[in-house]
Amino acid sequence: MLLLSLATIFTLVVLLGSGVWIAFALIGTAWVALQFFSPFDPGPILASDFWGASYGWDLTALPMFIWMGEILFRSGLADNMFRGLSPWLNRLPGRLLHTNIIGSGMFAAVCGSSAATCATVGKMTLPELERRGYDSNMAIGTLASASTLGLLIPPSIVLIVYGVVTEQSITRLFMAGIGPGLMILAMFMTYLVLWALLKGNRNGLTGADESGMSFVEKLRNTWSLVPILLLIGGIIVSIYGGLASPTEAAAVGVVLSMVIAHFNGHFNRDIFTSSLFAAVRTACMIAFIIAGASFLTSAMGFTQVPMQLARTIGEMGLSPTMLLVALTVLLLIMGCFLDGISLILLVTAIIMPVVSAAGFDLIWFGIYLVIVVEMSQITPPVGFNLFVIQGLTGKDIVTITKATLPFFLLMLLAIAFMHLFPEIALYLPQAMNR
């Protein structure tokens, strides 16, 4: 098991460091694990995983949301959003960097996908923040980290999977995710404020001061936010009103973005074509990575390394607090090689008896598990959001990882708060029973 773990990590590091495509690095690592450390033929498994990862209905929402972001970016609506928010965020330390956090939180509540949130919001905000002179590392860190909340803030596919497997109420899980989601957003914004006060403002990393305008001018600029709010409102109403699934709502979002862009005077055949092809390129990149990650997940399952690690933790007889610490370390390690749903399925199949015996509330544990999965989205070497950001910016993984490290630590702190004050997650679900 140790030899296999070392060989897997070494192969992945070498392939990623050599500059090959991320998906090929994941495929190559899985192939080595199956070829040399298992009796199974990698070929049929690769074919099965690629097919299974390519036809899922939920995956169809991804290119739609990405296309919506491309339309917003190319039609000038993203600039409208910044122009509307700028007068009100200008006095808040960090200024427009907060749009990454606020925008990701709002969009996460709409689409429920970390990758779609990261790609869509990133297409709108990263070019504008760079043009306005904001620190690129902080822009990347806030985007990659806040977009992971798509897994926690309802609707959440991961929470649905956990609820089905553990036979917990999905509605209560959705309610339980609201408090921790808002807490993590507040922690991210607080960190950004402190960073701006201590470093960003003094070094000119928070853009130009745009506060010199009258109240009437602020209201006039705020009017440019209305189209974006109408777009988000249309998607939210279509989902929560039961009019459309998230996938169908993504298509609604594309149509609304085209209509709004047309009335905004910045939509024509060229924008339609360029946004469509850009969305296809980005969606194909993400889908290819998903397929590679699916193959690596299967390889890890066949070699049984994650299962052995989980079983070892369960046999240690730890106290609840130490069990939580050990589980966090284990899940973060496993999250480097497994996608979120596979990680949750593995944990619920092996660890849940130990978790129940330790006295953890299963609703609370589900939220904890999702937060750890969120952290794995920004944990190298297989942090999915890191790859999405790399595709958007062209920066290397090391730079992106350093930018997200403070927010990774804040998520650890959020888990500690939830352990000390379980009501953060449990208050709303318990209130439903009163």
Side-chain angles (χ1 to χ4, degrees):
M1 288 295 146
L2 178 61
L3 179 61
L4 170 59
S5 301
L6 293 175
T8 302
I9 295 172
F10 177 77
T11 303
L12 189 58
V13 169
V14 169
L15 290 175
L16 288 174
S18 64
V20 302
W21 287 4
I22 296 163
F24 284 136
L26 301 179
I27 293 168
T29 303
W31 191 281
V32 168
L34 288 173
Q35 185 71 40
F36 297 104
F37 296 95
S38 80
F40 302 99
D41 183 5
I45 299 173
L46 173 63
S48 175
D49 285 337
F50 262 58
W51 172 252
S54 64
Y55 73 85
W57 173 247
D58 294 330
L59 192 62
T60 57
L62 192 63
M64 289 290 101
F65 279 122
I66 293 173
W67 191 13
M68 185 181 75
E70 290 286 351
I71 293 172
L72 295 175
F73 167 64
R74 295 170 188 273
S75 62
L77 290 175
D79 184 62
N80 289 353
M81 182 179 72
F82 277 87
R83 190 164 60 249
L85 289 175
S86 176
W88 309 106
L89 293 177
N90 195 73
R91 294 186 180 277
L92 185 65
R95 295 191 179 108
L96 292 181
L97 286 170
H98 290 280
T99 57
N100 267 348
I101 301 175
I102 298 172
S104 295
M106 294 174 63
F107 198 83
V110 173
C111 72
S113 167
S114 171
T117 299
C118 189
T120 304
V121 177
K123 277 290 183 181
M124 290 191 292
T125 62
L126 290 181
E128 278 296 314
L129 289 172
E130 182 179 359
R131 186 176 68 84
R132 293 170 184 251
Y134 284 84
D135 180 61
S136 61
N137 286 340
M138 186 56 69
I140 289 171
T142 52
L143 173 64
S145 306
S147 58
T148 63
L149 295 176
L151 300 176
L152 182 61
I153 299 176
S156 169
I157 296 173
V158 176
L159 281 177
I160 293 173
V161 171
Y162 176 84
V164 170
V165 172
T166 60
E167 299 181 352
Q168 299 297 310
S169 166
I170 294 174
T171 302
R172 294 185 69 206
L173 283 169
F174 277 3
M175 295 300 291
I178 295 175
L182 294 177
M183 177 184 70
I184 294 175
L185 278 177
M187 292 173 69
F188 286 172
M189 294 183 69
T190 301
Y191 170 77
L192 181 54
V193 167
L194 294 176
W195 171 85
L197 292 174
L198 298 176
K199 179 182 177 181
N201 292 346
R202 291 186 302 179
N203 297 327
L205 303 176
T206 55
D209 187 348
E210 303 176 27
S211 60
M213 61 176 62
S214 66
F215 182 73
V216 174
E217 289 176 315
K218 288 183 178 181
L219 290 179
R220 187 181 299 117
N221 283 352
T222 303
W223 179 252
S224 61
L225 281 175
V226 172
I228 300 292
L229 294 177
L230 288 175
L231 175 61
I232 295 174
I235 296 173
I236 291 176
V237 168
S238 64
I239 292 178
Y240 288 98
L243 302 176
S245 68
T247 301
E248 294 163 343
V252 171
V254 171
V255 174
L256 287 177
S257 65
M258 290 181 183
V259 172
I260 294 171
H262 173 73
F263 283 103
N264 197 45
H266 295 88
F267 190 71
N268 51 39
R269 183 188 297 271
D270 291 337
I271 290 178
F272 176 88
T273 304
S274 60
S275 65
L276 176 60
F277 280 103
V280 169
R281 285 193 295 269
T282 304
C284 287
M285 174 196 73
I286 295 175
F288 197 16
I289 295 173
I290 289 175
S294 175
F295 184 40
L296 180 58
T297 296
S298 294
M300 291 296 99
F302 281 117
T303 57
Q304 297 192 349
V305 170
M307 195 171 297
Q308 292 285 354
L309 290 173
R311 187 174 292 113
T312 301
I313 291 291
E315 294 172 351
M316 288 183 177
L318 302 173
S319 66
T321 300
M322 291 307 300
L323 175 62
L324 195 65
V325 172
L327 279 177
T328 302
V329 174
L330 170 66
L331 293 172
L332 288 177
I333 294 173
M334 293 167 60
C336 292
F337 303 98
L338 302 175
D339 64 89
I341 291 178
S342 299
L343 184 61
I344 284 180
L345 291 174
L346 180 63
V347 169
T348 52
I350 299 174
I351 298 293
M352 290 313 292
V354 180
V355 170
S356 299
F360 289 111
D361 184 285
L362 294 187
I363 295 290
W364 180 95
F365 187 79
I367 303 304
Y368 154 79
L369 195 56
V370 171
I371 293 177
V372 176
V373 170
E374 288 177 349
M375 295 167 66
S376 71
Q377 299 286 301
I378 55 173
T379 304
V382 195
F384 199 78
N385 278 17
L386 303 182
F387 296 149
V388 175
I389 294 291
Q390 186 181 38
L392 291 174
T393 65
K395 293 182 179 290
D396 60 273
I397 287 291
V398 175
T399 300
I400 299 172
T401 301
K402 288 181 179 178
T404 58
L405 180 59
F407 301 93
F408 175 89
L409 298 176
L410 286 174
M411 288 186 182
L412 277 179
L413 184 60
I415 290 176
F417 284 154
M418 277 183 55
H419 182 54
L420 293 173
F421 308 103
E423 296 80 9
I424 295 173
L426 296 179
Y427 175 77
L428 289 178
Q430 291 172 351
M432 293 174 61
N433 299 329
R434 296 173 186 171

